[in-house]
Amino acid sequence: MRRFKILEYALASLLRRPVKTAAILVVYTLMIVVLATVLLLTHALKTEAVNLLADGPELVVQRTMAGRHELVPVAAAQTVAAIPGVSAATPRVWGYYYDSLTGANYTLLGVDAAEPSLELLAGRLPQGDGECAIGAGVAAVRKVAVNDDLILIDANNIGAIFTVTGIFRAESRLLTEDLLVMPMAPLRRFFGMPAELATDLAVSVRNPSEVDTVANKVKRALPDSRPITRKELLRTYHAVFDWRGGMLLALFASALLAFCIMAWDKATGLSAGERREIGILKAVGWDTADVLLLKAWEGLAVSLLAFLLGFALAFGLVFWWGAPLLGVVLRGWSVLFPELRPTPYVDLYQVATLAFLTIVPYVASTVIPAWRAATTDPDEVMRQ
Amino acid sequence: MTPLICLDDVRKTYHPRRPDAVEAVAGISLRINAGEAVALCGPSGSGKTSLLTLIGCMARPTSGRVTVAGEEVSRLPERFLTLVRRRTFGFVFQQYHLIPELSVRDNVMLPLYPEALGAGEMARRAAAALDEVELAQMATRRVAHLSGGEQQRVAIARAMVNRPRVLIADEPTAHLDSRLSVELLDRFAALKRAGLTLVVATHDPLVCAHPLIDRTVRLRDGRLDGDAAT
Ligand SMILES: Nc1ncnc2c1ncn2[C@@H]1O[C@H](COP(=O)(O)OP(=O)(O)O)[C@@H](O)[C@H]1O
Ligand SMILES: [Mg+2]
């Protein structure tokens, strides 16, 4: 009862200083928006990467020569398939295409059979020469729809015409956004890749716990190969996003520090009026604990409101408006991705961390300066 | 009859152990009975305000004993001292010490927050206290917009809202003209008739000579200079 009475008084005193309260609220909210955006985006991109790779093969086998990625002989598939524990080894044909028209990179993928992970939004998968299916991002930058033609420059620097037969669903945008799919044979021709070579091998393993063992066996059977497990890929993705996220966090940590100093100095360094008010409250019978409770409520009300507002804004920014600026920095590697809208997801642990790191220092910076004023004898107030 | 307030050789030194140490109260023993009206008179700087803070449990003496209603308060930890102060004493400060941005009613309610009272009870008590000082119709006005005399009445209402046994007033006529001073003393007389104990610090002869005052205690340089029943 007493606590809520004092809360009531705290809210009233915040409203009594509307300009000051609003100023703090705005700065604080912006701060939270920035921090929460970085956190949410880093996390969302990591989640996207996991989703993306969950559909991929457990093991990918590349060939390396002089430390560089080389094409794999299709025949190597048989060698790998013969290794115990391997249920299938499929040569894959894929590569990148730089579209000078739009300045974007596309991923070109050869698909002969229907791929369950590639869900079409409209149309059908390409079946013959001169047909392709594309991701929503490609469709958007090239402004094409199903049945439209798409011209790409092939390895011989000759324009090749493809009819768009389908557009992919945006289930996982990171997966399909920049994708362009056509059958293997025309893709080989487009890339100028000999029929006996493939980009890499997709290996499925019967028992998922044996992936590492199988990878070792592949390395022994094919000394020039580089087996990459899904786990390793995930780790790389995480590291990349964490590194970028970390850079941004460092940037904003300094902003946070500046904010804390401001908060300490301006918002909560007691004004003469506030000091006087504390003196009066003590003189009319408020306990030190009552005064500190009042200040704690004030700090909590401001920081909680700013936190909720800021977090909600950041959430909208990341998941609905596609993080216009930060996303580019974080994702970096493709110009098609600014359209990305990750699946909304909130990690409670992260929310708690952010809340703790922002609310606690603020409340402390509200209560601590009041401490001195609250612990002096109230007779001091009779002197002023 | 045991006195309500008992001071035994009380001393108060401001910033002791410093070259500018001031012994504002230099060994005073005093007894105040319930229902009594006592005036502390003396020139400026004689220690009246300091003595009031000691009587009213606003500060602890440097040495000596203060007893209120049989309880030695000079030894109580701060929390209990606050409680005794809030329940036993009402203060009317020389500068009133109201919060100017708050309404009259909100100022009067200030001492009620630490008591676990419901909103209705708080409002009821504040209204009753404002009624006593004829300010009921100004309850929602901002204190900053009131005249000095009205502000003092708000301060009296705030002092009375917790129904204290003792009203302490520091130089209550300092900012009033003679008509308002008489009005104030009549108000104090009414409170005294209702059973309240009054302790008033003043250097205004009008107050010391008023029939409501039972006893005048003269102070000089922090010491008693005479304790006379009037
Ligand atoms: N908080 C304080 N710090 C230092 N000196 C003080 C303080 N309060 C009072 N004094 C000094 O104590 C003496 C008595 O002051 P006070 O009790 O206010 O007397 P009065 O109310 O009779 O004018 C004065 O010399 C004053 O300067
Ligand atoms: Mg004085």
Side-chain angles (χ1 to χ4, degrees), chain A residues 377 379, chain B residues 10-14 22-26 54 59-62:
Chain A
D377 268 343
D379 71 316
Chain B
V10 165
R11 287 166 195 276
K12 176 73 180 181
T13 308
Y14 292 106
V22 184
E23 191 169 40
V25 177
L54 295 175
R60 261 177 285 225
T62 314

Side-chain angles (χ1 to χ4, degrees), chain B residues 48-164:
Chain B
K48 303 182 296 295
T49 302
S50 303
L51 189 58
L52 282 187
T53 65
L54 295 175
I55 293 172
C57 303
M58 289 277 241
R60 261 177 285 225
T62 314
S63 70
R65 251 190 316 165
V66 179
T67 313
V68 173
E71 188 166 19
E72 191 183 334
V73 291
S74 36
R75 285 232 198 104
L76 286 178
E78 204 235 55
R79 203 151 59 85
F80 296 101
L81 194 68
T82 305
L83 199 68
V84 171
R85 178 167 79 238
R86 193 168 70 227
R87 301 252 166 101
T88 314
F89 297 96
F91 287 85
V92 180
F93 302 101
Q94 184 171 359
Q95 314 290 347
Y96 311 147
H97 291 317
L98 303 170
I99 297 178
E101 308 87 54
L102 285 184
S103 72
V104 168
R105 181 197 287 125
D106 288 343
N107 265 287
V108 172
M109 285 203 295
L110 287 180
L112 298 175
Y113 283 92
E115 303 283 348
L117 297 177
E121 175 67 11
M122 275 174 80
R124 216 181 49 68
R125 283 203 199 178
L130 281 173
D131 238 9
E132 288 286 313
V133 294
E134 294 120 43
L135 279 179
Q137 74 291 347
M138 290 198 182
T140 55
R141 291 266 290 275
R142 286 251 225 121
V143 157
H145 300 156
L146 265 50
S147 74
E150 286 164 341
Q151 290 192 10
Q152 189 179 50
R153 276 146 68 196
V154 177
I156 294 172
R158 186 181 67 185
M160 295 302 298
V161 76
N162 259 326
R163 301 178 191 132

Side-chain angles (χ1 to χ4, degrees), chain A residues 149-164:
Chain A
D149 280 348
L150 189 68
I151 298 177
L152 304 176
I153 310 297
D154 73 7
N156 299 317
N157 205 20
I158 295 169
I161 301 178
F162 296 92
T163 306
V164 176

